[in-house]
Amino acid sequence: MLNGILVPLITPFDDAGAVALSALERLAHQVLDDGAAGLVALGTTGEPGSLDPGERQAVVDVAARVSRERGTTLLVGAGITPPDGAIELSLVPPFVRPGEEGVVAHFAAGAGPRVIYHVPHRTGQDLSTATIRRLAAIPGVLGMKYATGAVDASTVALLADPPPGFALLGGDDALISPMLALGADGGILASAHVATSSFVELFETWRAGDVKAARTLGARLAEVSAALFAEPNPTVIKAVLHAQGRIPTAAVRLPLLPAGPLTSADAYRLVNR
């Protein structure tokens, strides 16, 4: 079953505005060296809507090559057919709001290994705990990136009695500590780009049952995540990665704009304190 901290990769750009594939490959190896359990290519953090088809395929090729070399998990988003051995990260249908029955029918009609990405503030579609349990029973559905924006009664009920063989992965970076405390299997966390080993340590500390240490570390990382998401993702993360010398530029593509210098400096300070 999926578990641990997975990193949804940014797409770095060079000075000419092209995808910096060599920097992407280095970054993928770095987060795995620091303990990440796997990678996500072309999630929201990877700006897939701003990439042309050739660029998207090149990003997937790099991530797949690194994942094969390292023997780690790879999830692929943006509606791209995942390569052999990879898992599709499939968004709950956005915009159309098909209702919970429609969501279940949509995923039941699919094939292949999938992790569902449930993020209501982007899709406009809420899912009840009962519906999530129905989704978990669909063949090929391996788990869910759970990013509802809250740890509420439904979250508690779901994690108190999780569907067997179904990985529940936190997707709200600032809330990952309480999610892990309740028994989540890990997280898909953009913030883990810049503090990979610390997020891995948080996961392992909760697993070890060291509540005091986990609470302290979780509070610090929640502050880091808040700073990294102070402007639209992944603008601040890219600014910090560039300041760390890990990607050639902090550039993003429209409709995103680069993070402001004060926001970037504050996030860099928190990451490196």
Side-chain angles (χ1 to χ4, degrees):
M1 190 169 78
L2 293 167
N3 66 81
I5 302 301
L6 288 80
V7 177
L9 294 167
I10 59 114
T11 300
F13 301 119
D14 63 21
D15 290 326
V19 176
L21 294 174
S22 59
L24 176 65
E25 185 167 2
R26 287 194 303 272
L27 185 63
H29 278 294
Q30 287 169 353
V31 298
L32 294 174
D33 287 343
D34 286 343
L39 306 171
V40 180
L42 300 181
T44 307
T45 304
E47 301 175 71
S50 72
L51 307 179
D52 66 35
E55 290 173 327
R56 289 196 291 270
Q57 188 59 57
V59 167
V60 171
D61 290 345
V62 168
R65 182 170 65 251
V66 172
S67 295
R68 285 194 300 269
E69 291 174 2
R70 303 296 294 268
T72 54
T73 299
L74 173 64
L75 276 62
V76 177
I80 303 296
T81 300
D84 290 345
I87 300 166
E88 180 183 1
L89 180 63
S90 185
L91 186 65
V92 170
F95 304 114
V96 294
R97 300 177 66 183
E100 292 186 290
E101 292 297 328
V103 171
V104 172
H106 169 77
F107 285 107
R114 288 154 288 156
V115 169
I116 295 171
Y117 183 12
H118 177 35
V119 54
H121 74 274
R122 291 186 183 272
T123 64
Q125 176 69 66
D126 290 319
L127 298 177
S128 66
T129 300
T131 294
I132 292 173
R133 294 189 188 282
R134 292 175 63 193
L135 292 170
I138 295 173
V141 173
L142 305 180
M144 174 175 283
K145 179 181 177 181
Y146 186 88
T148 64
V151 177
D152 56 15
S154 295
T155 313
V156 173
L158 185 61
L159 286 167
D161 183 23
F166 183 75
L168 283 161
L169 304 169
D172 293 307
D173 295 34
L175 298 178
I176 190 59
S177 189
M179 287 289 292
L180 292 172
L182 289 168
D185 296 291
I188 298 177
L189 307 173
S191 300
H193 272 95
V194 298
T196 311
S197 59
S198 294
F199 281 96
V200 171
E201 180 185 355
L202 179 66
F203 170 76
E204 293 174 345
T205 303
W206 276 118
R207 282 295 175 96
D210 189 345
V211 173
K212 182 178 180 180
R215 284 175 173 170
T216 300
L217 179 56
R220 182 174 72 82
L221 291 178
E223 188 178 5
V224 169
S225 293
L228 291 170
F229 279 79
E231 296 191 39
N233 184 47
T235 61
V236 183
I237 289 171
K238 280 191 162 185
V240 173
L241 289 171
H242 177 54
Q244 292 175 330
R246 298 169 66 189
I247 57 175
T249 73
V252 292
R253 288 182 178 174
L254 292 172
L256 295 175
L257 296 173
L262 294 179
T263 304
S264 302
D266 183 53
Y268 182 81
R269 175 185 60 82
L270 288 171
V271 167
N272 293 283
R273 66 180 175 181

